[in-house]
Amino acid sequence: MDFHDRFVEFLPELKKALTVEGTTDWSVKGFIDTYRNIYSITTDTKVISKVIEIMIFPYLLRFAKENNLKIRLPPHQNYYPDVTFIDSEGNKYAIDLKTTYRITDDSVNGMTLGAFTGYFRNRSSYKNALFPYEVYKKHYVLGVIYSRSDIDSITNLLIEKGFKLTSSKRKLLITYMNNADDDNWNLLASGYSENISEYRSQIDSYLVDELESYTLDNFEGIVSVARRFEFFFQEKWKLAVDRPGSGNTKNIGSETLIKRLMNGEGLFFREYGDKGEVEFDKYWMQYQTKDMARILGQDEPIYKNLQTFKLWLLSLQKT
């Protein structure tokens, strides 16, 4: 059994580590102080991701021990990768931990799959990398998909009331959940033809109250902010699309359909099959943002997506 198969076999242990037995709820309820006050955890994705990472690391240590692997962690937070496994033959495997939440039952908010500049292009460099990118035998993503309890509860409420939740309506809803002020409510209400205003108090009742504190006597009353965890373990290139992950950042974007993430059926795999890693590397090692193109004196990037990338490659063959 190879490294990938052994790790996939281990995934149920990670899922078990995160959930309350007999439920799909996250076992984390909040943060506790020295006075035994407990504060509900925020729905902020960075906070949830960090707590999940802390919970998972002891199990990764166990996986390494059980499979005769060495494990190395990066010396700094912004170094690549999150975890390095080294087998008895010296083969190195890069693992980046990524988390994302469901928007619908079929899709997630998306992830970034690491930089497409720096160590990704200068593959013999140690800058911001535990080991040079080129020395790793494989580059994997350990992905965690979860449902936000507030999104689940509020969408279920609206569906029961007869609302039809399109993609745009869901986005407006999540914007309001993340910042429940009057401006975002008015933006939300303007996007619904139905009369949603009469349900605002019910919607607000499902939002996490980060100001409320609990004690050890009543902490079980805290609603878990996350539930319904799913894990996937795939090579990075099998999850990638042909656009950056967010805004003008220099990070590789991911598929958002859960089926594609779980099965490793990203754009480069669908286009090229098992030869997709080579094309993935070509594409992202030469990809330019608009700012990168301007610095080089170009009006536009040399290509914008996979289709124009193929045309660009053909133009090189003609010169």
Side-chain angles (χ1 to χ4, degrees):
M1 189 181 295
D2 66 11
F3 176 82
H4 173 269
D5 292 342
R6 281 182 286 165
F7 203 98
V8 169
E9 194 175 72
F10 188 70
L11 292 182
E13 293 294 317
L14 299 181
K15 184 174 182 179
K16 184 179 178 181
L18 295 184
T19 53
V20 177
E21 186 176 356
T23 75
T24 63
D25 289 347
W26 194 14
S27 56
V28 170
K29 292 292 185 178
F31 302 108
I32 188 169
D33 64 19
T34 56
Y35 304 103
R36 299 191 175 189
N37 295 311
I38 301 172
Y39 306 91
S40 179
I41 194 169
T42 174
T43 57
D44 186 285
T45 53
K46 291 182 180 179
V47 175
I48 291 176
S49 296
K50 190 61 183 178
V51 176
I52 288 174
E53 181 181 307
I54 292 169
M55 296 177 73
I56 282 176
F57 270 130
Y59 289 84
L60 298 183
L61 290 170
R62 197 181 92 195
F63 173 80
K65 185 176 181 181
E66 291 175 351
N67 289 278
N68 193 30
L69 300 165
K70 294 179 181 178
I71 187 170
R72 293 283 302 276
L73 303 181
H76 303 287
Q77 186 174 357
N78 64 336
Y79 269 47
Y80 178 83
D82 291 329
V83 183
T84 296
F85 286 107
I86 308 172
D87 67 20
S88 58
E89 296 178 356
N91 295 311
K92 296 178 176 66
Y93 302 92
I95 314 292
D96 253 0
L97 177 62
K98 302 293 180 181
T99 62
T100 185
Y101 61 87
R102 292 179 181 85
I103 299 294
T104 70
D105 285 339
D106 300 318
S107 64
V108 296
N109 189 48
M111 302 172 291
T112 56
L113 300 177
F116 57 78
T117 56
Y119 59 79
F120 184 82
R121 296 191 177 185
N122 188 0
R123 298 194 167 195
S124 60
S125 172
Y126 278 89
K127 186 177 181 180
N128 293 333
L130 179 62
F131 296 104
Y133 198 91
E134 66 185 7
V135 307
Y136 286 96
K137 185 173 182 178
K138 297 285 185 182
H139 297 266
Y140 289 106
V141 170
L142 170 57
V144 186
I145 298 171
Y146 64 92
S147 290
R148 277 176 46 175
S149 299
D150 56 352
I151 294 176
D152 269 7
S153 298
I154 293 171
T155 53
N156 287 340
L157 166 69
L158 294 180
I159 289 170
E160 287 174 5
K161 299 299 182 182
F163 288 83
K164 294 182 179 179
L165 298 182
T166 62
S167 173
S168 60
K169 288 181 178 179
R170 288 176 185 271
K171 288 179 180 178
L172 289 172
L173 196 58
I174 292 170
T175 298
Y176 176 71
M177 290 185 218
N178 291 339
N179 185 11
D181 59 19
D182 288 340
D183 287 341
N184 281 332
W185 178 261
N186 292 334
L187 185 65
L188 167 67
S190 68
Y192 283 71
S193 58
E194 306 93 334
N195 183 17
I196 196 173
S197 295
E198 63 181 284
Y199 300 109
R200 183 173 183 178
S201 60
Q202 285 180 269
I203 289 171
D204 287 350
S205 71
Y206 289 116
L207 300 179
V208 175
D209 186 354
E210 297 176 18
L211 300 178
E212 187 172 355
S213 64
Y214 300 79
T215 67
L216 289 174
D217 294 326
N218 66 352
F219 79 93
E220 291 181 350
I222 303 174
V223 176
S224 299
V225 299
R227 58 171 69 130
R228 294 201 292 146
F229 291 94
E230 282 188 274
F231 285 81
F232 60 87
F233 188 67
Q234 298 288 349
E235 289 183 63
K236 178 164 66 175
W237 72 268
K238 290 185 176 181
L239 304 173
V241 292
D242 57 355
R243 61 183 181 275
S246 58
N248 198 34
T249 61
K250 296 174 182 176
N251 286 296
I252 300 167
S254 78
E255 293 284 355
T256 56
L257 288 179
I258 293 174
K259 180 181 177 181
R260 290 176 178 173
L261 293 171
M262 298 296 292
N263 297 331
E265 297 172 343
L267 178 61
F268 290 88
F269 180 81
R270 298 198 307 276
E271 288 287 326
Y272 301 104
D274 291 332
K275 297 179 180 178
E277 185 173 15
V278 173
E279 303 305 321
F280 162 81
D281 283 341
K282 283 182 190 176
Y283 183 90
W284 282 109
M285 287 179 77
Q286 297 171 94
Y287 184 88
Q288 301 169 342
T289 63
K290 290 183 178 180
D291 289 341
M292 292 168 71
R294 289 193 196 103
I295 290 171
L296 295 172
Q298 302 165 198
D299 293 332
E300 294 288 340
I302 51 179
Y303 51 83
K304 298 179 181 179
N305 51 41
L306 193 55
Q307 182 180 0
T308 53
F309 169 70
K310 292 177 180 179
L311 295 174
W312 176 73
L313 289 179
L314 286 175
S315 71
L316 295 180
Q317 296 174 9
K318 294 176 182 179
T319 58

